[in-house]
Amino acid sequence: MITCREAIEDHVANIQAAEEARARAAGTKPMAVHPFGDPASELPLVDAVAVLTRVIWDSIGEVVVAARAGMSMIQGIAKVAAAKNKPLTWTTPTGFIVEQVIYRDEAYRVRTQLFGGMALQLREPTGRLDVRRMKSSAAPNYVHSMDASHLIKSVNGFYGAGIGSIAVIHDSFGTHAGNTETLRAVLCREFVELYMENRLEEFKEEVEEALLEEIDLEVPMVGTLDLLEIIESNYCFA
C-alpha cells in the first residue's frame, strides 16, 4: 500500500515527467514545475515533501474521521497480539481466514572466496514477531480482506443475475455495456449487505477470543449514514 509521503513524491515526479514529455514534443526546454531542489539546495525537495505530508495527513484525519479511528483501533489490536508473539487472525465475511505474521529479520554476514573474496549480508526471520511492522500492516490488510470479500460476493451476485462476462481488478468491475445497470445494482446491494453488520466489532471479538483476553480498545461508534441510501447512490460505483 502506498503511503501519504510516497503519493506526494510520485505526484511531484509525474508532473515533472509530464512537463518533460511536453517539452520534447514541442522541441523546447522543459520548465521546472516547482522551486525545490536536491538536499544541498536552499529549498530541498525532501523538506517540502515532509511538510506537505504532515499537512495532508492531518487534513485526512479531519475529513475522514471515522476511517482514522478504525485504523487506530486495528493497529492497536495488532500491537497487542504481536507483543504476545501471536499472529493476527480474523475471518472475512466470506469465511476466508486471514493470518498476518511478520517476523523480525536478523542480519548476518557470509564471507566467500568468490571473485577473490566477497562478503554477503543475508537476512532471515527470527522467531519473534515484528511489532512495528505488524501494527503498520494490519489496517491495510484488513481493508484489502474486506474489499476481496465484496469482490467475491459481487461476482457470485453477477452470476446469479445472469451476468457471465465479468472483468475485475481489485475494486474495479466491468462487463458488457448492456449489463452495466444490473452490475451496478448488484455491486451496491452486496456492499450494503456486507456492512450491515459491525465488522470492526466482529474483528475485535475474534482476536480477543484467540488471545483469551479482553483488549482495552473502543470500537469506533457507528455513524448516522443510512446504508440503504447507498443503493440509490449515483456515484457509489461509477
Side-chain angles (χ1 to χ4, degrees):
M1 169 167 282
I2 191 170
T3 66
C4 182
R5 184 186 186 93
E6 290 169 340
I8 295 169
E9 291 172 339
D10 286 351
H11 174 70
V12 172
N14 289 341
I15 58 176
Q16 184 64 60
E19 167 57 21
E20 291 174 358
R22 182 205 64 78
R24 283 196 302 272
T28 60
K29 183 179 180 180
M31 297 184 297
V33 297
H34 56 74
F36 307 105
D38 58 44
S41 66
E42 292 184 4
L43 292 172
L45 176 60
V46 64
D47 291 350
V49 169
V51 171
L52 192 54
T53 297
R54 174 50 58 190
V55 171
I56 292 177
W57 184 247
D58 289 344
S59 299
I60 291 173
E62 294 174 7
V63 176
V64 195
V65 179
R68 284 284 290 271
M71 181 182 73
S72 179
M73 189 207 77
I74 294 170
Q75 289 179 335
I77 290 174
K79 181 179 178 181
V80 171
K84 295 179 175 297
N85 208 42
K86 299 290 186 181
L88 183 65
T89 306
W90 68 93
T91 305
T92 70
T94 61
F96 184 83
I97 299 174
V98 181
E99 183 177 84
Q100 177 181 295
V101 180
I102 306 174
Y103 289 108
R104 293 180 187 171
D105 287 336
E106 192 172 70
Y108 61 96
R109 296 175 69 84
V110 176
R111 297 186 180 279
T112 75
Q113 297 303 314
L114 292 173
F115 306 109
M118 177 184 294
L120 304 175
Q121 179 169 293
L122 304 178
R123 307 187 71 87
E124 64 179 19
T126 66
R128 295 293 303 175
L129 290 175
D130 189 320
V131 176
R132 181 185 61 81
R133 292 170 63 201
M134 285 285 289
K135 179 181 174 182
S136 64
S137 300
N141 285 338
Y142 178 79
V143 171
H144 288 319
S145 76
M146 297 300 291
D147 285 347
S149 296
H150 177 244
L151 185 151
I152 292 169
K153 286 179 172 290
S154 294
V155 169
N156 288 337
F158 300 154
Y159 188 78
I163 301 177
S165 298
I166 306 162
V168 296
I169 304 174
H170 186 52
D171 56 357
S172 297
F173 303 84
T175 187
H176 297 306
N179 291 327
T180 53
E181 285 299 319
T182 302
L183 178 138
R184 181 181 169 282
V186 171
L187 279 173
C188 292
R189 184 193 71 214
E190 294 296 339
F191 187 85
V192 169
E193 290 182 1
L194 185 68
Y195 292 105
M196 290 299 286
E197 305 293 332
N198 192 327
R199 298 302 181 183
L200 287 178
E201 187 172 46
E202 292 178 354
F203 171 76
K204 180 173 181 283
E205 290 175 351
E206 184 173 1
V207 177
E208 287 177 330
E209 184 176 347
L211 298 179
L212 300 177
E213 70 169 77
E214 291 188 5
I215 299 174
D216 187 22
L217 289 169
E218 293 291 330
V219 176
M221 293 179 60
V222 176
T224 59
L225 173 67
D226 182 359
L227 291 179
L228 294 177
E229 292 184 1
I230 293 175
I231 294 176
E232 305 300 326
S233 170
N234 292 324
Y235 302 106
C236 181
F237 291 94

